[in-house]
Amino acid sequence: MSIVEIARTTAPGVTIENLTIAYGGLPAVSGVSLELKPGTITGLVGESGSGKSTLALSLLGAVSKPGRVISGQVVIDGIGDVTKLEPEALRRARGAKIGYVFQAAQNSLNPLKTVGKQLLDLGKAHNVRNLREAHPLLERMGLNADRVLRSYQHELSGGMRQRVGIMFALVLNAHVMVLDEPTTALDMITQANILQIVRDIQRDRSLTTLIVTHDVGVVAEVAQRIAVMYGGRIVEQGDTHRVLAEPRHPYTRALINAIPRLTGDVDEAKPLPGTPPTLATIPKVGCVFRERCPLRMEICDSVEPPAVGGVACHAVNKGDAS
Amino acid sequence: MSNNVRRRFWRGVWAALKRRPSRIAGLVIVLLFTFMAIAGSWFYPDRLPYDVDNIYAPISWKHPLSTDFEGVDVLALVITGTRGVLLVAAAAGLVTMFVGTAAGLYAGYRRGAPDSVLMRIADFVLTVPGFPLLIVLTTAIDVGTWWKMALVLGLIGWGGLARAVRSQTLSLRERGFIEAARGLGLPTRHIVVKQLLPNIAPYIATNLLLAVTAYIYAQVGLYFLGVLPLDTSNWGVMLNAAVFQSGALISPDALPYLLAPLGAILLLTLGVVLIVDALEEIFNPRLRER
Amino acid sequence: MIEGRGITKTFGKDVKALRGVDFVIPRGGAVSFIGESGCGKTTLGRILAGLESFDGGQLLRDGEPIKGNAFRRIQLIHQDPYSALNPTLTIESTLRDPLRLRAKQTGRPESWIDSRMEELLNLVGLNPGYVLERYPHQLSGGMRQRVVVARALTVDPEVLVADEAVSMIDVSLRLGILGLLKSLRETLGVSVLFITHDVATARYVGADGELYVIYRGKVVERGPVETVLADPVHPYTQCLLSAIPVLHGLEKPGPDRLVPNEPLDERTEPPGCLFAPRCPFANPVCVEQPPPLGKLGDTPQDHACLFPASRHVVAVPLR
């Protein structure tokens, strides 16, 4: 195999190092380091204000003004540091190297054009005449390709729109895929189908995938690794099953405990006191979670906990948390 | 509303205005013209002093805008001429606002037959060419008093506002808080006035201000064409006199006399446009407090 | 007790949203409706709250048909707490208006309104001093939803219809709202109709109540929540429950978990069971014969299947 062919068939790794992104002086993402190993699916979990969407957009180099990357880098194998790319190189990378699937509810599909027409537009923008991958991609996802290409956005169900979004992300043969809340607007059965598709496509096309979501269940079903964000920081990351079985950061624990379950004692699920911080209310010093933390110590007020062994917590690092 | 909330509202209004200096400029201009309209004539005698030896005088401190064909100070003419057009325009604007808003709200909220009927009428009002109709009407009806003129003007222009208010109402009535108000058994009048209206306020306010400027233009146009009687003193009459009676178009000395009323209109329009920019922020609590 | 008998609703000419649904909401009880989008559960909730008309059947309250003002006893909690509150009004205005109406109806003085406002806000877990003078955009999603509940309580309702009441709220705040609904049942004796596609939240609010599974406008399974979850007998219920994500690491999939199947194409209407085209266990008979709702096969719950079979599909905890 030639070098080019090897590059086309192996998934790239993505390394985010010490990334800080701020909106007019307020950091939405702060000192985040995350590695997406080639060929894996990583789940980024967070609530509103956690910074997860901003982090996802940074992979595309698409953080919108007034947001700016203050420091750090986002290195994608085969592309380089996305934060330092020239605008033209960035435009070419989007779609061709990095596929982004938006939330279904946001309808990144143009309501006035058919899917097929938008596909042609995409091809023109990237100087590709024949988008050969569109048909097989749609069929692989269980859709009648011809029919879908002829349809307008409002003629498709939520699940179909989500599949079309995935097709657009991958039609130019991208090997990095970012899915932003892929199943939020969908009901359970459709969600299960989409997640199955993500798993299958991931394997078939050697992708490295990042799924951004607030739903721990979604991550549990598809992702090998999980990263939990709060107030712009990653508070815990690691192997999904291990983190779910033995969460170490107090926020992760509380979050998992706050999920109502289908079996067992109903009252075992406990709510979290307080509210998640907004961009304006994220504490500037110390641990961002301390207001709601049962393990709060004095040091948490002044020193931001470093990430040790995947967990950023003073109490855990000291060995106090059992 | 409690006093605290009221205070915060006005502070928010001031903050919205301060946010861009152009808005303050607009406010100053509009207030200036309003003052001129109300109190302008108090500073001058009923019959302005004329000096036939001093027609089209060169610009000086005594006559910053030169003089007219009779030697009357142009600045004085502009100031005293404000009330003539502004009063009627403001009154007409209010007529348009009430009729258009009421029609749009009722049609949009009730829907069905009242909606169709009202919108047919609004469409008719919208499509009939305003200015020619005005010319016809003013020759046919006696519009001697200012409030008759205001009524005629106002009733010609409410079509657009009615349509805009209706479409806003249609989309708002499906929102959760309107449905909730219905479900709670709140009376229709309350829902329309207390719940819907504050959400439509920015459109109405914008429309009101822009309508007033449109009505100023309309009046000036009518006076200029001589359709309306030239017995009062206002900008339109000035223009008419300048162009048709004193050959201002030919004589360069008369240029300030010709341009002064035009300048006044443009300045006032500018002021209104600058303020309109602030309206959405003023009425939306979320934008107001930022 | 609220009862619906044979409720049917058709939108436009031929969109059959509800095809004859029977349900009972006991006083102070909890009933949950689950199903996919478009199954009719939201329409049913809106009909119950008086926001939508229905074409056939009866809606009864203690045996009497519900008309006009009686619908006020049933209040809807919307999915989106932001659009459920008027952005131009403070919370105080939002609460005062319905309370003023209530005061007039029950012959209470103006002074009662202020104390009742505080009482209701405390009841839903909010600080009146903080919340009353604020606008909706200044509150978090969880707080807004609590205000919506407080507003619903101003008319002393008997039933709260919660339609996806927590789906737009942050996960860490959801239990707070769900817990509130639960406690309102206990303290005020209010019944809750919980409409959702997140079955676990339905269980949290009404584990002691009934669960209705709705498919294309028909009830396909109905019974005590715990029974239907542990021993579903209708294949659609089993598909629905199988689709719930498993928290691998904490749980493992149920032994009989089914593979998901979604309708992607135009929906046909077979004369028999509506689910037959998608059903993994369908028989030629199923397409012909419409299954009645009953206890065929001696099942503890009602179901609409000709070949009911209990399958354990729900995730099993690992410890």
Side-chain angles (χ1 to χ4, degrees), chain A residues 216 220 226 228 235-257 261 295 308-313 316 321-322, chain C residues 247-251 318-319:
Chain A
V216 176
I226 182 174
V228 181
V235 296
E236 183 160 4
Q237 56 177 300
D239 170 78
T240 311
H241 296 185
R242 202 198 36 77
V243 169
L244 283 176
E246 277 155 17
R248 290 187 291 155
H249 193 285
Y251 175 62
T252 318
R253 280 198 181 173
L255 198 61
I256 293 176
N257 264 343
R261 310 280 284 281
L295 301 178
V308 173
V311 183
C313 176
V316 170
S322 53
Chain C
L247 297 169
H248 298 279
L250 277 176
E251 308 171 322
L318 276 179
R319 247 166 297 178

Side-chain angles (χ1 to χ4, degrees), chain B residues 177 179 183 194-195 199, chain C residues 46 72 75 78 83 86 97:
Chain B
F177 62 87
E179 270 196 348
K194 192 118 186 262
Q195 304 267 349
N199 283 283
Chain C
R46 288 172 62 83
R72 246 180 271 162
Q75 287 293 317
H78 281 86
S83 75
N86 191 329
D97 296 327

